[in-house]
Amino acid sequence: MFSKALKHLFLGSILVSFVYSNSNDLDLKNDGLTIEVDEKKIVIKRVFNDECKMINGADPENIWSGNYVKESLPKACVKKFLTTPGAITPMKINDKVKTIGEIEVINFIEDAQEDKNKLLIDARTSDWFLQMTIPSAENIPFMHFDKNKYPDDFYDVLEAIGVKEISKDKYDFSNAKELVLFCNGSWCPQSTFAIKNLIKIGYPQEKLNWYRGGMYSWKLLNLTTVSE
């Protein structure tokens, strides 16, 4: 239904990572936040080893493959996650779009088995989706929510989420589905890009849910995944 998209992400290895409530207003990649603890200055920032930045972050296998940590530990019990240098997202997109966690996602999936007006959307590009996703998720890559750059795919998106275009830039949301959107994790901007583009066209915000933790949080908790 949707064309395969270009890969956009590049990985780095993170040595120290702190999520600060106002990180969206801070340059955590470069300057960071300087605080004083016991008369010592500490800079809270995302610290990356330059050598690790050479890793091909566009390859999903570089993120999701392998069992690591201490070699003597059972392989089934340990995992390694690489963190890209993307900006950390705030906890909420706005006061109307609901940020949800794993239990809410699972409840949504259960409800969606009977209620076809509920749709779980993996907003990552198709190569990531094919590698691994949450059961029952439909892949609608984030860039397809951009009407100006991907008009043909945009109309496919409208059909999938129950929206009709009445006239230019005017839409009928009477059958709009309740959505949960996610991508790779709290540093991933793809699901927020999709949600913000839906808001631009007037999509009912009470029908938008954001799973901020995405695949990283899902995998961290060792919840079931599927691959195509």
Side-chain angles (χ1 to χ4, degrees):
M1 178 178 174
F2 298 98
S3 59
K4 186 170 183 179
L6 294 175
K7 304 172 182 179
H8 296 289
L9 302 177
F10 296 90
L11 288 185
S13 177
I14 189 165
L15 304 179
V16 181
S17 178
F18 294 88
V19 178
Y20 181 71
S21 60
N22 290 321
S23 64
N24 200 43
D25 299 322
L26 295 171
D27 186 359
L28 293 178
K29 180 180 178 182
N30 297 307
D31 298 332
L33 171 69
T34 301
I35 63 173
E36 190 169 308
V37 179
D38 297 329
E39 299 183 350
K40 294 181 179 179
K41 288 186 176 181
I42 300 174
V43 179
I44 299 175
K45 63 182 299 184
R46 305 189 78 197
V47 183
F48 293 90
N49 185 318
D50 287 339
E51 182 181 3
C52 298
K53 293 178 182 178
M54 303 303 294
I55 297 173
N56 179 12
D59 185 349
E61 292 188 4
N62 285 342
I63 288 187
W64 300 122
S65 300
N67 293 304
Y68 298 89
V69 194
K70 192 174 182 180
E71 291 184 1
S72 61
L73 294 174
K75 289 185 177 181
C77 303
V78 293
K79 291 179 174 62
K80 178 178 180 180
F81 298 98
L82 299 181
T83 304
T84 79
I88 301 172
T89 57
M91 186 57 68
K92 295 197 303 181
I93 292 175
N94 62 34
D95 291 333
K96 294 182 179 180
V97 176
K98 186 183 297 183
T99 303
I100 64 175
E102 290 73 29
I103 295 299
E104 291 81 7
V105 173
I106 291 170
N107 289 338
F108 185 90
I109 291 172
E110 182 179 18
D111 291 343
Q113 296 295 292
E114 302 294 333
D115 187 350
K116 299 309 176 184
N117 288 317
K118 295 178 181 286
L119 183 64
L120 177 65
I121 296 176
D122 185 337
R124 302 174 300 162
T125 54
S126 58
D127 47 344
W128 294 89
F129 173 78
L130 294 172
Q131 176 76 16
M132 181 188 303
T133 193
I134 297 172
S136 79
E138 170 134 0
N139 184 215
I140 306 181
F142 70 99
M143 71 282 293
H144 295 166
F145 290 81
D146 187 338
K147 179 180 180 179
N148 294 326
K149 292 186 177 180
Y150 295 87
D152 292 339
D153 292 317
F154 175 77
Y155 287 107
D156 285 339
V157 171
L158 293 184
E159 181 179 355
I161 62 178
V163 177
K164 293 183 179 180
E165 186 176 45
I166 302 172
S167 59
K168 182 176 174 59
D169 297 329
K170 290 186 178 181
Y171 305 92
D172 177 5
F173 297 106
S174 58
N175 294 315
K177 298 181 180 181
E178 182 180 358
L179 310 177
V180 170
L181 296 97
F182 69 92
C183 50
N184 267 325
S186 60
W187 47 264
C188 177
Q190 297 175 351
S191 53
T192 57
F193 178 92
I195 290 172
K196 289 176 180 178
N197 274 274
L198 287 174
I199 292 172
K200 285 181 183 178
I201 68 169
Y203 203 89
Q205 295 186 51
E206 67 275 11
K207 292 189 174 184
L208 294 173
N209 302 279
W210 178 40
Y211 176 33
R212 177 178 181 269
M215 290 305 301
Y216 267 33
S217 293
W218 193 265
K219 283 292 291 178
L220 182 66
L221 294 171
N222 223 35
L223 289 164
T224 303
T225 60
V226 293
S227 56
E228 296 294 328

